[in-house]
Amino acid sequence: MEDGEGLPVPPQGAGLEIDETLTLLERVERFSTSGASVQRLVHVREIAACAEEVGATDALSRIVPLLKMISIDPDVAVRETLVEQIVPLARVLLSEPDVQAGRKDGTAAANGSEATAKECVLRELVPLLTSLLSSGSQDASGNSPGLSEAAAEALLELAALIDAGDVGDTVLREVLCLAHDNEVEEHRVVATQLLGSLAPVLGYDLCCQYVLPELVCLADDPAFRVRKAAALRVGAVSTVVGPELTVGRLLPIFEVLARDEIWGVRKASVESLAEVSAVMPLEVRTGQLEKLMHEFHVDSSRWVRISACQALGPFIATLPADAISSALLEQFTQLANPSNPTAADSDVAYSCAYNFPGVAQAVGRERWADLAEAFGTLASNIQWKVRRTLSCSLHDIAAILGPELSESALLPTFDLFIKDLDEVKVGVIQHLAAFVGCLLPETRLQYLPILGEVRAETDNWRFRQLLASQLAEFGAAYDRAATLDTLLPLAFSLCTDSVAEVRQTAIGQVGKLLQPLALAAAAVPPPSEEHPLSPESEAYKEAEETFSILGEFVDTIVSMARAPSCHKRANCVQICASLLEGLPPPISLEKVLPALLPIVTDRVANVRLALATLVRGRLLAESSPFVSHPMTQQMLAALREDTDRDVLRQAHADVEGYEPPRYPYRCPMRSDRASLSPSIATRAAATHEATDAAAADVDDDVDDSFAGGLPSDGSAADLAEAVANEMGELNLGTVDEPGDR
C-alpha cells in the first residue's frame, strides 16, 4: 500500500519487538516504522534524544530520511509525537549547520552535492511541518485538532531558530500558500494566525511587503472565522509596522471588523483593542478608538459587552492622564459596582481589580478621588478572588499614591486583608516589605510587630517562607535599631525553622540583611590622629553597638557547630556560607572560619558535605579574600582525604575527571551468621549473595540515624535490623560511628 507520493504506508497489527542489543539509533531506524503503533510511538519519541546522542552528521544521514514515512503514519498520536521532535532535531542540526550527511562508516560525503544540515532544516523540516499542519486541518474526523495546533507552534519555534531572511524564503512562503487556499477554510484561519505570530520574527521590511497586504485581504474573507483571526492579529502586526502604516492601512479594516455582523468578530476586535491603541497616535486613541469602546459597551451581544468591560482597563492604561475623559473613567469605576448588570453576570469585578493599578498609574494620584469609591467596593467584594487580586497589587498602588495618601487611603484595607482568608492574606504578605517601604518611617515601626505575627503562623509555613524571602528588603526599609532589635532575631528564627524550605530561603537572605549594617559600621573609623573621632560620639557608639550585636548573632550561629543534632550542625554550615557573603572579612576570620575548621572531622558525612560545598563555593571563589588563608587550605586538605565519596567529589571539583574510590565492604563472618536464630540465619543466607553483588555499587550519604549505613528497600532494611539485634553490631565496612538524632 502506498500514499499519494509513492511511499509505503506502514502496516498495521504487527507484534511488539524488543531488541536490547541494538543502539538507540539502530532501534529508532528499525522500529519507528514498525507494524505495531505502540512500538512506533515509543521510538518516534526517542528521535530528539537520539539526534543529540549521535550528532548532526548521523542525524542528517540516518534520522532525517525516516521523517517522511513517519509523517504519513495512520496513527495521529505518532504524527503528533513527531511534531514534538522536529524543533529539538532542528537545534541539533543547526548546531553544526555546514555538515553534510555521513555514510554508514561515519565519513562525510565525497562531493559537495549533499545538502548541509542548515539546508535540510529549510528544505525538509519546514515543508514537513507545513504538511503535518495541513493534514491536521483537513482531518474530517475531527480527531486531530491537536496536531494542527502543535504543528503551528512548532513552526513558530522553528522560525525563531532561523535567520530572518531564511524565514521569509521558507516559512513565510509556506504560510502564504496556506493563506491562498480558497478551498480549505481552516488553512486560511491557521495562516492568518501564523502571519500575526511571525510578524516580530520577520521584521519591518517583510511585514510591510507581505504580511500587511495579506492581512488586509484576509480581513475581508467571506468566512467569519478568518475575519475573526484577522481581528485578533491586527495588534501584533501594527506593533511591527509602526503608527503610520497602522493608521493608513490597518485602522480602516479594524473599524470594519469592529462593526462586523458576526458578534465573534466584534468580540475579537475588542480583545485586540488595547494592543492596537498602544501603537496609534494619541488623537486616534481618544477619537476613533474611544468611540469604538463606547459602541462595544452597548453592543447587542452580551459577550461583546463583557469583553468590552474586561478590555476597558488595558485601554485606559494606554492613555495619558489628561486624555482620559471623566466619562471613560466613570465607565471603569462602575465595573466594581455589584449592581452593574454586566458585572453581575461575569468576572468583570475581577477584571476591574486586576486592571486597577494600571488605571491608577494612568490617571495619577491627583485623580485618586475618582477611583477611591471603586477601590473600597472592590476591597469589600464578596468574592475572595477579587480581594486577592487587589491584595497582590496593594504595594503597586501605594507606590503610585505616595506615603501620605497611602496611609489614609490604603492602610484600612491593608489591616483588613492581613486578617482575611489565607487566599487573600498571601497577597499582602508576599509584598509586605514593598508595601511598608512606601509608608512614612514612623508608620513602618507601627507595623513591625506584624512580622512576628506572621512568623508565629503555624498552619501555613508558606507564609513564613514568603517572610523569609523578604528579609533583605525589610533591612532596607527599617532603620538600624529596628534591624538589630527585631529583624536579626527574626532572621535567626527563620534560619532554624522546622520546615526546610523556610530555612533555605532565610539562609539565602541573612547575609544580604547583615551586609548594610556591617558596611555602615565599618565605615566609621576608630579614633586616631588622622580621625579625631571621640569615643563618646553618637556615630562611634552606634558602630560599636552594631559590631557587638553582630558578634553576638554570629556567636549564636557558630555555636550550632557543636550541637548534638547533625541537622543543626549542617544548618550552621549553610548559614555560615551566607554570613561569609555579608560580613566583613575580619569578623569572618575571627569568628566564622575557626568554628568551621573542626567540622572537617564531623562524624556525619552530610555535615562534611555541606562544609565541602561552602569551601568550594565561598572560600575558594575567585573573588574570595580567603582563598590562600591557612584555615581554608587546611579544611580543603582534610576534605580531600575524606572517606565519603560525595565529599571527595566536591573537594576535588577542580580536578577534571576525578572519580572517588568505591567504598570497601566486608560481609559478616560465617561464625557470626551461624550464631543467629534459625529464622534470621535462613533469611541472611538467602540474601547474602545478592547483598554481596550489590554492595560494590553502594554510594550514599551518611546520617546519624544509622551511623552511615547503606540504603536499601524495606525488606532488606528489616533484615538488617533483625541481624543487628541478634549480633549486636553488623559491620558493613568503613562507615561513620552511630551518632545522635
Side-chain angles (χ1 to χ4, degrees):
M1 180 178 176
E2 297 181 348
D3 73 338
E5 298 184 13
L7 293 172
V9 176
Q12 298 293 301
L16 188 66
E17 299 180 50
I18 300 293
D19 191 345
E20 298 294 341
T21 63
L22 301 177
T23 65
L24 178 59
L25 178 58
E26 291 169 340
R27 291 201 303 271
V28 169
E29 287 181 310
R30 176 176 296 186
F31 298 122
S32 60
T33 55
S34 167
S37 61
V38 174
Q39 189 76 282
R40 300 196 303 274
L41 183 64
V42 168
H43 289 88
V44 169
R45 190 172 288 138
E46 297 287 347
I47 284 178
C50 180
E52 293 177 2
E53 180 179 298
V54 302
T57 302
D58 282 343
L60 188 60
S61 61
R62 301 178 65 178
I63 295 180
V64 172
L66 304 173
L67 302 182
K68 188 64 176 179
M69 172 76 78
I70 301 171
S71 69
I72 60 170
D73 194 285
D75 190 338
V76 69
V78 175
R79 303 202 304 273
E80 288 179 355
T81 303
L82 174 62
V83 169
E84 297 172 0
Q85 306 300 305
I86 294 297
V87 175
L89 173 61
R91 289 195 182 98
V92 174
L93 295 176
L94 292 175
S95 65
E96 301 179 65
D98 297 325
V99 302
Q100 294 180 331
R103 299 192 182 97
K104 290 281 187 176
D105 59 4
T107 61
N111 54 50
S113 61
E114 296 287 341
T116 64
K118 179 180 178 180
E119 293 170 342
C120 172
V121 171
L122 300 178
R123 298 177 186 175
E124 298 192 38
L125 298 191
V126 171
L128 184 71
L129 278 177
T130 307
S131 66
L132 288 167
L133 189 155
S134 302
S135 66
S137 303
Q138 291 178 326
D139 190 355
S141 65
N143 293 328
S144 58
L147 174 60
S148 180
E149 294 176 4
E153 292 178 6
L155 196 60
L156 293 175
E157 291 184 47
L158 191 58
L161 302 177
I162 305 172
D163 296 335
D166 293 327
V167 172
D169 293 336
T170 56
V171 180
L172 180 59
R173 187 187 302 274
E174 298 287 346
V175 173
L176 291 176
C177 290
L178 292 176
H180 296 160
D181 188 344
N182 295 324
E183 301 296 327
V184 183
E185 175 186 324
E186 185 63 26
H187 285 178
R188 302 197 302 279
V189 173
V190 172
T192 307
Q193 296 169 344
L194 288 173
L195 285 172
S197 301
L198 284 172
V201 179
L202 293 171
Y204 176 80
D205 292 335
L206 288 175
C207 276
C208 293
Q209 186 175 359
Y210 295 104
V211 178
L212 181 59
E214 197 66 42
L215 186 65
V216 172
C217 293
L218 292 168
D220 194 34
D221 195 276
F224 82 90
R225 293 177 62 242
V226 180
R227 301 198 303 275
K228 178 181 176 180
L232 288 172
R233 296 301 184 272
V234 168
V237 176
S238 64
T239 303
V240 178
V241 300
E244 184 177 350
L245 285 174
T246 299
V247 173
R249 300 288 302 277
L250 292 179
L251 180 58
I253 68 166
F254 184 75
E255 290 184 289
V256 172
L257 292 170
R259 299 182 175 97
D260 196 277
E261 61 180 2
I262 303 297
W263 68 264
V265 180
R266 301 197 300 274
K267 180 175 179 293
S269 302
V270 176
E271 294 171 359
S272 61
L273 180 63
E275 190 175 9
V276 174
S277 176
V279 181
M280 296 290 186
L282 182 59
E283 59 272 15
V284 176
R285 300 181 207 174
T286 56
Q288 294 101 306
L289 296 188
E290 184 172 341
K291 180 181 178 181
L292 285 177
M293 178 58 76
H294 288 297
E295 291 179 10
F296 289 143
H297 274 274
V298 295
D299 194 273
S300 59
S301 169
R302 169 174 171 261
W303 303 111
V304 175
R305 295 196 303 271
I306 291 174
S307 294
C309 292
Q310 295 172 340
L312 181 57
F315 174 70
I316 293 177
T318 65
L319 305 174
D322 296 336
I324 301 173
S325 64
S326 299
L328 198 62
L329 193 58
E330 183 180 0
Q331 202 169 46
F332 175 78
T333 57
Q334 285 300 310
L335 302 180
N337 191 343
S339 62
N340 186 330
T342 307
D345 290 342
S346 66
D347 291 334
V348 170
Y350 173 82
S351 298
C352 181
Y354 182 84
N355 294 312
F356 196 91
V359 174
Q361 176 73 40
V363 301
R365 73 183 69 179
E366 295 80 10
R367 299 181 67 178
W368 172 253
D370 296 333
L371 298 175
E373 183 178 354
F375 176 81
T377 304
L378 293 171
S380 59
N381 192 285
I382 193 173
Q383 300 182 75
W384 64 260
K385 66 178 183 179
V386 175
R387 303 196 305 275
R388 174 193 172 105
T389 303
L390 206 60
S391 74
C392 290
S393 60
L394 206 59
H395 65 292
D396 291 324
I397 301 174
I400 296 168
L401 299 184
E404 293 82 4
L405 192 53
S406 293
E407 292 190 7
S408 61
L410 303 184
L411 279 183
T413 301
F414 175 85
D415 294 336
L416 291 175
F417 285 164
I418 201 68
K419 299 175 183 177
D420 209 320
L421 300 173
D422 281 0
E423 291 82 359
V424 179
K425 188 191 302 185
V426 67
V428 291
I429 294 179
Q430 187 175 8
H431 304 287
L432 186 55
F435 180 79
V436 298
C438 295
L439 304 177
L440 294 172
E442 54 272 18
T443 308
R444 297 176 198 171
L445 294 176
Q446 298 175 14
Y447 283 85
L448 194 58
I450 288 181
L451 306 185
E453 295 174 7
V454 176
R455 168 65 188 92
E457 178 70 50
T458 57
D459 295 334
N460 195 335
W461 61 264
R462 289 178 176 82
F463 287 166
R464 303 198 301 275
Q465 185 184 19
L466 290 174
L467 199 65
S469 67
Q470 303 172 73
L471 283 174
E473 292 183 69
F474 284 124
Y478 285 101
D479 58 18
R480 184 190 68 90
T483 302
L484 294 175
D485 296 341
T486 303
L487 296 184
L488 281 188
L490 175 66
F492 179 79
S493 177
L494 292 171
C495 286
T496 56
D497 194 90
S498 59
V499 178
E501 292 290 338
V502 178
R503 294 196 304 270
Q504 293 301 321
T505 303
I507 288 170
Q509 291 280 308
V510 68
K512 300 173 184 177
L513 174 65
L514 298 181
Q515 192 173 41
L517 291 173
L519 291 177
V524 178
S528 64
E529 294 182 1
E530 294 81 6
H531 303 283
L533 186 66
S534 171
E536 301 300 323
S537 66
E538 191 65 28
Y540 185 79
K541 288 181 178 179
E542 289 184 357
E544 286 293 302
E545 182 186 16
T546 299
F547 279 126
S548 176
I549 296 177
L550 287 180
E552 293 175 4
F553 179 78
V554 174
D555 289 339
T556 304
I557 298 296
V558 299
S559 67
M560 296 168 58
R562 302 183 297 275
S565 169
C566 67
H567 301 295
K568 289 185 178 179
R569 299 197 302 272
N571 196 20
C572 169
V573 175
Q574 294 167 346
I575 299 174
C576 286
S578 186
L579 293 179
L580 290 171
E581 179 185 6
L583 291 176
I587 297 181
S588 298
L589 288 174
E590 178 187 352
K591 294 181 177 293
V592 179
L593 266 63
L596 294 174
L597 191 56
I599 297 180
V600 297
T601 59
D602 194 283
R603 60 180 175 272
V604 178
N606 279 347
V607 179
R608 304 195 303 274
L609 178 60
L611 179 63
T613 304
L614 180 151
V615 171
R616 180 59 60 187
R618 296 287 188 191
L619 300 182
L620 295 177
E622 292 184 4
S623 58
S624 171
F626 312 109
V627 173
S628 58
H629 194 275
M631 281 189 285
T632 301
Q633 296 301 319
Q634 187 176 351
M635 283 187 277
L636 179 62
L639 292 169
R640 284 187 164 180
E641 297 178 358
D642 202 275
T643 58
D644 184 84
R645 300 188 73 201
D646 290 333
V647 176
L648 289 172
R649 282 195 189 95
Q650 188 64 39
H652 291 83
D654 59 331
V655 181
E656 185 177 355
Y658 173 80
E659 182 63 25
R662 293 193 176 277
Y663 293 124
Y665 173 78
R666 181 174 63 85
C667 66
M669 299 297 293
R670 293 189 179 276
S671 59
D672 293 333
R673 277 186 245 144
S675 66
L676 302 179
S677 64
S679 60
I680 295 179
T682 302
R683 291 164 62 196
T687 59
H688 173 62
E689 182 176 353
T691 304
D692 283 347
D697 295 327
V698 172
D699 179 15
D700 192 36
D701 290 341
V702 181
D703 64 25
D704 288 25
S705 62
F706 180 22
L710 303 176
S712 58
D713 58 24
S715 60
D718 295 339
L719 174 60
E721 181 178 358
V723 173
N725 289 336
E726 288 285 336
M727 296 179 59
E729 179 183 9
L730 178 60
N731 186 353
L732 295 181
T734 304
V735 295
D736 295 311
E737 296 179 1
D740 48 281
R741 281 186 180 272

